[in-house]
Amino acid sequence: MGRKYALFLGCLIPNRYPGIEAAARKVLPRIGIELADMNGASCCPAPGVVKSFSRPAWLAVAARNLCIAEDMALDVLTFCNGCYGTLADANHSLKADRALRDSVNSKLKEVGMVFKGSVGVRHLAEVLMKEVTPEGIRRAVTKPLGLRAAVHYGCHLIKPKVLREWVGSAERPTFLDELTEALGAESVEWEDKMACCGAGGGVRSAVLDVSLRMLNRKLLSAKEAGADFILNVCPFCHLQFDRGQIELQRLYGLQPYDMPVLHYVQALGLAMGYGPHELGVDMNFVGMDRILSKLP
Amino acid sequence: MNDVRADLKNLKIGVYVCHCGKNIADVVDVKRVADFASKLPGVEVAREYLHMCDDVGQEMISKDIMELGINRVVVAACSPKVHELTFRDTLRKAGLNPYLLEMANIREQCSWVHRSDPDRATEKAIDLVKMAVAKARWLIPLETKAVEVTRSALVIGGGIAGIQAALDVADNGYQVYLVEKGPSLGGRMGQWSKVFPTMDCAACILTPKMVSAAQHPKIKLLTNSELIEASGSLGNFKVKIRKRPRYVDEEKCTACGLCAQKCPVRIPNEVDFGMSSRKAIYITSPNAVPLAYSIDGENCLYLKRGICRVCERVCEAKAIDFDQKEEVLELRVGSIIVAIGYDPFDPTPLEEYGFGRYKDVVTGPMLERMTDPMGPTGGAILRPSTGKPPRKVAFIQCVGSRDARFNLYCSRVCCMYAIKDSLIIKEQNPESDVYIFYMDIRAFGKGYEEFYLRSQEAGVKFIRGKVSSIREDPRTHELVLRYEDTLLGTALEDSFDLVVLSVGQVPRADTDAISKILGIPRSADGFLMEAHPKLRPNDAVVDGIYLAGSAQYPKDIPDAVAQASGAAARALIPLSMGQVYVEPISPLIEEDRCGGCGVCVKLCPYGALKLEEREDKRVAKVDEVLCKGCGTCSAACPSGAVRSRMFTEEQILSMISSAAG
Amino acid sequence: MIENRKGDWFEPRILGFLCNWCSYAAADLAGMSRMEYPPNIRCVRVMCSGRVEPSFVLEALREGYDGVLIAGCHPPSDCHYQSGNLKARRRYYLLRKLLRELGINPDRVRLEWASASEGQRFAEIVKDFTERLRRLGPSPLKVKRVGAE
């Protein structure tokens, strides 16, 4: 059974990693996920930075994006943890608090919109886990990856726990590992698996030094665990893992990790037999040779 | 007294507006309120004063009653829950019927909640005074009624608080029923080995008290028993206690233990938090009181499946009695003391600490059991994974306490028990390293700060910061703690071989059931609520029911004992008075209006109303002992014959119209 | 939340019936905790929400109050008198029907539960109800009364 969603792309995917969008548009329809474009969607806006400066502004812009999906009468689908954090949490707050909703609607009136609270917000990982199921993925896979993946969940995907009922455990989740194993890859145990990548919350922009030290720990432990690549479900984490390796090299003179980084839709594409170029994986800063040579 | 119509002609109302220091006067223009009140019909005098409840204020009222002939009093001040009784007393002493008083709550429900809008707060205060004056016009003199008291008390819970309360009441010569759910007295304190800050052996100071309670001629000890029903009120409660069978004759059992040796059923021992096992026939401790074995009906093979009976065969004293049946006892008591205690917080939901996943992560109470010579390790502190003494131990404070995800309150005992255990670890192995990760150390009790210093001197390291995660190093099986040292301002990591989670106290699992049976509310934290947080910490919200120990809020032993003695002293008041005065809460039935329809009879939750035959008709009749004064009958009576004395229709309707817009 | 700029709009007048054991205690707790709520409500203490006669509510509306709040203990079993709150609830739903028949918006009467520990909840109920009534505007009965004068 096909399901249709309003696709919320956010900023990073179109601007920095369009390959993730390309992969998604090829791969998702083949596992029953139909995508509809949200005309006029803006930045989500970012949950760490914008919300910290002005919650009302954050809510109003998020509500405007949600209104576009409400007009389409479709649930929102995103494969960015930051967009998910903003849209899911804003949607929840606005649905739960009438006074808040009224105040946001008084602002939206200026652009002729009303937030009604009629749609939901889903992260791709949730849809894959609950609607498609790992078994459904396994059926779509034609070329099992046979690689060792260091699975990275990211923060906004699983926290705050009270608003992520579908996640189960926020400290030791397993859904993304199950989805990864469905690709014929092995999800390795790695020491810093549940730590933040270091990008979000304005850390990367404000204190690159701290951000990169956090990243370095993660990369070290992924390497020690013998991972072939890092798998993520968020373009910002993706950017941090990918671009960050180059920065560690340039700014600190570290030996290159050469650790390939894949968004789940790209890994799924490889497992379904698409070529690397079709999935835009060649747009990463870190080369893919280490894994492409191992693929069946 | 039977004339329920107020005497509206000779009204002389006195209105007294209180400043409550600045509590009211800072927001409400008290002078404007008093001026306004003085012009209301029927008001003879209106005054304002700094503290109406002090001697001068009360004197002001009684002088007016005696000299100006004031016959209705309105006090505009705090909540009636705070000072209604005070001012009723003032009226009584001045020779006026105490029920001719009405309070206007212009503090809790006005000045304290409308601080940012003094003008509208003053308008509201004026309205509240108008309403109180309107009600006062319709007040009628009422009489309290003396009722004989049942001179005995019920104490629920056989921990240190319950034992202390029971002993105090019994030593005053009154009968006490001490109800304990488990097979022995002792409660939580009975599980601990040494107690802070004296390092006394808990059993050495607790056991004599348990024995005194059990042997006291005025205490009837009911173990394996629980409260299942309660009715009545202050001075005369009727309670039902379910006593589960022990299947062992307490008199005959010599506690030789042969039965337990032979019993084939082995289950986790709850006293040791599952770190050891016990049999289906068991004793909670060698110091148990009563010192008799008990069969756990849930796990006994004979009681579940009709096979075995090996205990019966080996018992030389012939104490096993499978014919014992569950009993329900009905008791009458004048006071009830609730001392049901607490449960330790279960840290499983804090996934970041891995309790239940990593063997060497234990709770404070589990460590406590290890320090007990009669505990699962014979008194030695050992790593559960290896059975060897730990070399480096971490205590994590405030687990489940002061945490918005779980409980906001401070559990008050965890700082001190962690410090105590750190000293015991240092005593057992001076070479070991002990770290305590804390947010604040709260060493508030007598001798506690000194105790804290002692542990610092012994080399225990105190790190101010919260541990964010624990993981096990797969190679060394050591526990790696990631934490922030807020004094150094940096995030760090360190490895330990034993981690102790200092869990706090949470309301006992059956707190909700007890609160419903007794009709006493709980606070937002889940503990049983006191009648006043400062001035009546020993009383439950319902008269005649008192609170002792951690049932009310987390407490250490000295505080629990002190509160228990306080609760006992409070509970003794009705018992020693012999009589209690019942407020005139029951409705008055105007027989000539009553049509005998019986609607009120069906609605009354207490069966306090019934129909009586008169010569020409049937009329409703109220039983004043059973009635609790809710007024549901008044609300339903189609002919207005059932009249709530303190909340009559005239009173309420005139309040409504007096402040209408 | 719309800001309270004084005098700019209609301020509703609310009558509250609070039961002694739960909601009156909640209102006191809101005070002890210094929580702010709009000063539009005037409360009458009764022992139990079961004491509130529907005629009290009708009388209040007739007298020109814009809204009436009845607050008691949480159902099913918080009621100090076992089931007074359930009786209040039954009467409340009948009363709403009757109000509709009379052409009065039943939302002008509200039944709420607040336990003795829910000061915050009480303050929020009053805030919300005041806001709601501001939007509903003055009671039609009040307008008639004023017009007749």
Side-chain angles (χ1 to χ4, degrees):
Chain A
M1 266 300 290
R3 274 173 184 272
K4 194 167 177 179
Y5 294 94
L7 172 62
F8 188 83
L9 281 172
C11 307
L12 282 170
I13 293 176
N15 289 312
R16 303 291 288 268
Y17 289 96
I20 296 175
E21 180 185 350
R25 290 198 188 274
K26 290 191 177 68
V27 164
L28 297 184
R30 288 188 48 192
I31 50 172
I33 299 174
E34 208 183 319
L35 303 172
D37 288 328
M38 289 173 64
N39 288 325
S42 67
C43 171
C44 59
V49 179
V50 179
K51 187 165 70 170
S52 312
F53 284 109
S54 166
R55 189 157 186 264
W58 172 78
L59 269 173
V61 178
R64 184 187 160 281
N65 284 324
L66 290 165
C67 285
I68 296 173
E70 286 184 352
D71 285 346
M72 299 163 74
L74 292 174
D75 279 356
V76 176
L77 179 73
T78 166
F79 24 94
C80 167
N81 287 359
C83 299
Y84 180 62
T86 282
L87 298 178
D89 296 359
N91 199 32
H92 174 269
S93 302
L94 291 170
K95 281 183 181 179
D97 186 337
R98 196 160 62 194
L100 203 60
R101 190 161 73 232
D102 291 347
S103 96
V104 161
N105 275 334
S106 71
K107 294 193 185 88
L108 288 180
K109 211 156 80 186
E110 295 171 29
V111 290
M113 286 175 152
V114 186
F115 175 87
K116 296 187 287 289
S118 57
V119 300
V121 176
R122 322 278 303 265
H123 190 287
L124 177 68
E126 180 196 357
V127 172
L128 293 179
M129 191 63 197
K130 290 179 49 185
E131 315 293 346
V132 182
T133 75
E135 189 42 45
I137 303 268
R138 208 166 280 129
R139 277 199 301 270
V141 166
T142 51
K143 292 186 171 175
L145 297 179
L147 298 168
R148 290 163 62 81
V151 171
H152 171 77
Y153 281 81
C155 305
H156 294 292
L157 176 64
I158 48 177
K159 288 175 181 179
K161 192 175 168 181
V162 283
L163 301 184
R164 307 280 189 272
E165 211 176 309
W166 63 274
V167 161
S169 164
E171 298 295 333
R172 289 174 73 82
T174 58
F175 61 91
L176 197 50
D177 304 271
E178 290 171 47
L179 290 170
T180 303
E181 307 242 316
L183 303 175
E186 180 196 346
S187 169
V188 300
E189 268 303 316
W190 53 311
E191 203 181 295
D192 281 288
K193 180 175 176 179
M194 296 316 298
C196 171
C197 67
V203 180
R204 185 177 159 82
S205 324
V207 273
L208 187 63
D209 177 50
V210 173
S211 166
L212 289 178
R213 268 190 287 158
M214 290 166 80
L215 173 69
N216 192 41
R217 278 196 71 123
K218 289 209 67 142
L219 287 167
L220 254 177
S221 82
K223 188 179 161 191
E224 275 177 13
D228 293 317
F229 72 106
I230 289 176
L231 181 136
N232 64 74
V233 282
C234 167
F236 202 23
C237 302
H238 189 93
L239 180 144
Q240 171 81 341
F241 282 119
D242 182 41
R243 178 73 198 158
Q245 289 187 47
I246 308 300
E247 287 161 346
L248 282 171
Q249 225 175 297
R250 287 200 190 146
L251 301 176
Y252 295 88
L254 296 189
Q255 285 296 308
Y257 280 101
D258 272 335
M259 177 67 76
V261 182
L262 290 176
H263 190 285
Y264 188 85
V265 288
Q266 295 175 314
L268 177 57
L270 289 174
M272 285 166 74
Y274 287 98
H277 183 69
E278 289 177 284
L279 304 167
V281 300
D282 49 2
M283 299 175 85
N284 276 8
F285 291 93
V286 177
M288 290 285 152
D289 299 348
R290 267 183 57 189
I291 53 172
L292 295 181
S293 60
K294 282 193 194 172
L295 284 179
Chain B
M1 160 86 209
N2 278 354
D3 180 16
V4 297
R5 310 279 169 204
D7 178 4
L8 293 176
K9 279 183 214 123
N10 300 312
L11 274 181
K12 282 190 172 184
I13 304 172
V15 178
Y16 302 89
V17 184
C18 180
H19 298 200
C20 194
K22 289 185 163 184
N23 280 299
I24 294 169
D26 251 7
V27 179
V28 169
D29 182 344
V30 282
K31 191 162 178 327
R32 222 180 105 201
V33 176
D35 284 350
F36 192 94
S38 68
K39 296 183 192 102
L40 290 169
V43 173
E44 183 79 6
V45 64
R47 303 186 195 276
E48 28 101 11
Y49 173 63
L50 193 61
H51 284 293
M52 231 57 230
C53 59
D54 72 14
D55 285 352
V56 182
Q58 293 192 50
E59 185 55 35
M60 194 184 283
I61 298 172
S62 49
K63 219 173 131 204
D64 284 353
I65 293 171
M66 290 187 279
E67 292 179 3
L68 301 178
I70 293 300
N71 54 18
R72 301 288 184 278
V73 174
V74 169
V75 180
C78 49
S79 168
K81 287 179 186 269
V82 183
H83 272 316
E84 193 172 46
L85 293 178
T86 312
F87 292 115
R88 275 193 190 155
D89 237 33
T90 314
L91 267 62
R92 185 183 292 119
K93 283 179 192 148
L96 193 62
N97 183 289
Y99 294 95
L100 298 176
L101 165 80
E102 180 62 17
M103 289 191 73
N105 185 344
I106 61 168
R107 192 180 74 172
E108 281 84 347
Q109 298 190 11
C110 190
S111 69
W112 277 353
V113 286
H114 309 313
R115 297 157 78 84
S116 61
D117 199 343
D119 286 348
R120 294 186 65 209
T122 303
E123 283 163 28
K124 175 167 170 177
I126 288 174
D127 278 348
L128 294 175
V129 169
K130 275 199 236 169
M131 291 164 83
V133 167
K135 182 169 179 183
R137 289 198 192 103
W138 292 94
L139 291 175
I140 42 177
L142 299 170
E143 298 305 324
T144 49
K145 205 171 164 178
V147 175
E148 287 297 307
V149 166
T150 311
R151 296 189 173 210
S152 59
L154 172 73
V155 177
I156 308 166
I160 183 60
I163 292 171
Q164 182 66 42
L167 284 171
D168 284 1
V169 175
D171 283 348
N172 274 273
Y174 299 100
Q175 178 64 43
V176 177
Y177 301 97
L178 176 55
V179 172
E180 164 57 44
K181 206 167 154 187
S184 166
L185 289 177
R188 293 290 173 200
M189 187 179 172
Q191 286 176 277
W192 313 146
S193 166
K194 288 183 177 178
V195 287
F196 59 79
T198 49
M199 292 284 211
D200 284 317
C201 132
C204 310
I205 56 176
L206 175 65
T207 315
K209 284 211 171 251
M210 289 158 58
V211 173
S212 315
Q215 293 178 347
H216 201 292
K218 286 282 185 185
I219 296 180
K220 168 86 180 145
L221 174 60
L222 298 164
T223 50
N224 286 334
S225 300
E226 57 196 311
L227 176 74
I228 51 171
E229 240 180 83
S231 59
S233 57
L234 168 66
N236 289 287
F237 291 100
K238 211 158 78 182
V239 297
K240 280 189 186 166
I241 309 290
R242 181 194 292 133
K243 184 165 170 51
R244 281 171 285 111
R246 182 184 278 269
Y247 301 113
V248 174
D249 187 328
E250 286 174 33
E251 305 298 319
K252 291 183 186 162
C253 176
T254 59
C256 68
L258 199 58
C259 52
Q261 271 177 37
K262 301 289 179 190
C263 174
V265 182
R266 194 175 277 281
I267 54 164
N269 184 355
E270 48 279 73
V271 173
D272 287 337
F273 303 102
M275 290 185 293
S276 68
S277 61
R278 66 162 171 87
K279 299 298 186 64
I281 185 163
Y282 71 112
I283 195 161
T284 51
S285 143
N287 301 324
V289 171
L291 189 59
Y293 275 74
S294 179
I295 294 177
D296 154 9
E298 296 293 300
N299 291 295
C300 168
L301 284 181
Y302 175 64
L303 291 167
K304 289 308 259 189
R305 290 195 274 149
I307 49 171
C308 188
R309 299 185 91 149
V310 67
C311 49
E312 203 175 31
R313 284 198 300 279
V314 298
C315 180
E316 286 168 5
K318 303 278 170 241
I320 310 292
D321 179 4
F322 281 114
D323 293 332
Q324 284 185 2
K325 294 276 175 294
E326 182 176 293
E327 293 173 78
V328 173
L329 307 169
E330 255 193 59
L331 306 173
R332 286 175 179 278
V333 293
S335 308
I336 299 176
I337 297 174
V338 185
I340 55 173
Y342 68 93
D343 281 331
F345 173 78
D346 172 7
T348 313
L350 281 108
E351 290 183 321
E352 60 270 36
Y353 292 160
F355 176 74
R357 197 162 67 238
Y358 306 134
K359 275 188 176 168
D360 293 332
V361 176
V362 300
T363 65
M366 288 167 76
L367 188 82
E368 196 68 42
R369 290 304 303 149
M370 287 195 229
T371 65
D372 187 341
M374 292 172 296
T377 57
I381 293 176
L382 304 173
R383 291 181 71 187
S385 65
T386 59
K388 296 205 177 85
R391 279 161 300 139
K392 197 166 161 194
V393 184
F395 286 83
I396 301 179
Q397 299 307 108
C398 300
V399 174
S401 312
R402 306 179 70 198
D403 182 336
R405 296 173 298 170
F406 302 100
N407 300 303
L408 268 185
Y409 57 84
C410 164
S411 279
R412 299 176 87 246
V413 294
C414 331
C415 284
M416 299 316 295
Y417 81 59
I419 288 171
K420 172 194 69 185
D421 288 332
S422 72
L423 281 168
I424 296 175
I425 294 170
K426 281 281 190 189
E427 266 167 32
Q428 290 193 1
N429 181 5
E431 300 302 306
S432 60
D433 275 325
V434 183
Y435 287 69
I436 295 183
F437 294 90
Y438 69 98
M439 296 206 275
D440 300 285
I441 291 291
R442 298 191 164 172
F444 54 87
K446 185 169 182 173
Y448 291 7
E449 185 66 23
E450 295 87 329
F451 195 56
Y452 175 29
L453 274 176
R454 235 176 92 190
S455 70
Q456 289 173 306
E457 280 158 12
V460 175
K461 297 183 184 70
F462 288 82
I463 310 285
R464 185 169 173 276
K466 196 109 177 121
V467 174
S468 66
S469 72
I470 300 177
R471 64 187 164 77
E472 197 175 63
D473 187 315
R475 290 169 297 246
T476 60
H477 294 286
E478 282 192 325
L479 298 161
V480 184
L481 271 60
R482 196 169 276 184
Y483 63 94
E484 183 186 9
D485 185 327
T486 57
L487 298 180
L488 294 179
T490 153
L492 294 163
E493 245 183 40
D494 203 354
S495 301
F496 295 86
D497 50 14
L498 181 66
V499 175
V500 185
L501 305 180
S502 294
V503 296
Q505 302 183 357
V506 296
R508 240 191 128 85
D510 48 8
T511 303
D512 193 51
I514 295 278
S515 105
K516 292 219 158 84
I517 293 170
L518 293 174
I520 51 177
R522 304 164 74 182
S523 327
D525 53 27
F527 289 97
L528 294 171
M529 191 187 247
E530 61 289 313
H532 188 280
K534 297 201 180 300
L535 302 179
R536 293 176 66 192
N538 291 310
D539 303 1
V541 173
V542 177
D543 287 345
I545 304 181
Y546 309 90
L547 306 174
S550 291
Q552 181 243 347
Y553 190 68
K555 281 188 190 69
D556 57 11
I557 294 163
D559 284 2
V561 170
Q563 196 197 16
S565 284
R570 302 283 297 160
L572 279 162
I573 295 172
L575 304 191
S576 56
M577 295 292 286
Q579 279 190 331
V580 287
Y581 292 92
V582 178
E583 287 214 341
I585 50 171
S586 63
L588 184 92
I589 293 164
E590 286 191 71
E591 292 198 357
D592 48 348
R593 280 199 185 193
C594 176
C597 68
V599 164
C600 55
V601 176
K602 274 184 236 147
L603 277 180
C604 179
Y606 305 102
L609 284 150
K610 56 176 189 280
L611 288 176
E612 259 188 10
E613 296 292 336
R614 291 282 182 275
E615 281 156 26
D616 49 344
K617 63 172 184 175
R618 292 187 310 168
V619 290
K621 171 101 177 136
V622 61
D623 181 331
E624 291 183 6
V625 177
L626 293 177
C627 174
K628 296 240 184 188
C630 63
T632 296
C633 47
S634 288
C637 178
S639 53
V642 185
R643 305 169 59 86
S644 280
R645 286 180 226 248
M646 286 153 66
F647 298 90
T648 66
E649 201 172 333
E650 292 86 355
Q651 289 170 0
I652 293 177
L653 290 176
S654 61
M655 285 176 91
I656 294 172
S657 58
S658 67
Chain C
M1 185 69 66
I2 306 168
E3 281 162 38
N4 184 355
R5 285 162 300 163
K6 222 180 127 191
D8 269 3
W9 65 57
F10 160 67
E11 285 292 355
R13 218 173 167 76
I14 306 171
L15 186 72
F17 290 102
L18 309 185
C19 81
N20 181 62
W21 301 95
C22 295
S23 50
Y24 195 86
D28 275 359
L29 181 61
M32 283 186 258
S33 321
R34 308 296 196 275
M35 291 159 181
E36 285 250 356
Y37 55 82
N40 299 51
I41 191 166
R42 281 97 183 92
C43 294
V44 174
R45 180 170 69 114
V46 287
M47 292 313 279
C48 177
S49 53
R51 170 69 185 100
V52 180
E53 300 179 21
S55 62
F56 294 167
V57 178
L58 294 173
E59 186 61 21
L61 292 170
R62 202 183 64 84
E63 287 278 5
Y65 288 92
D66 302 293
V68 179
L69 172 72
I70 306 162
C73 313
H74 282 281
S77 51
D78 273 12
C79 178
H80 186 76
Y81 303 108
Q82 298 180 9
S83 56
N85 52 352
L86 304 182
K87 286 159 191 153
R89 183 161 66 182
R90 248 181 322 199
R91 290 181 189 136
Y92 170 70
Y93 284 111
L94 288 170
L95 182 61
R96 283 182 70 95
K97 266 192 189 165
L98 181 63
L99 289 172
R100 224 170 274 133
E101 302 273 314
L102 293 172
I104 300 170
N105 188 335
D107 290 350
R108 291 193 180 276
V109 181
R110 194 149 159 182
L111 178 68
E112 289 281 357
W113 317 116
S115 78
S117 60
E118 292 178 327
Q120 174 90 47
R121 185 178 159 83
F122 181 81
E124 266 154 27
I125 290 168
V126 177
K127 260 186 234 169
D128 193 73
F129 194 29
T130 308
E131 198 50 50
R132 194 71 196 269
L133 289 167
R134 274 185 191 142
R135 251 173 287 151
L136 281 181
S139 155
L141 297 176
K142 178 190 248 171
V143 176
K144 272 181 208 148
R145 257 165 57 97
V146 174
E149 271 167 16

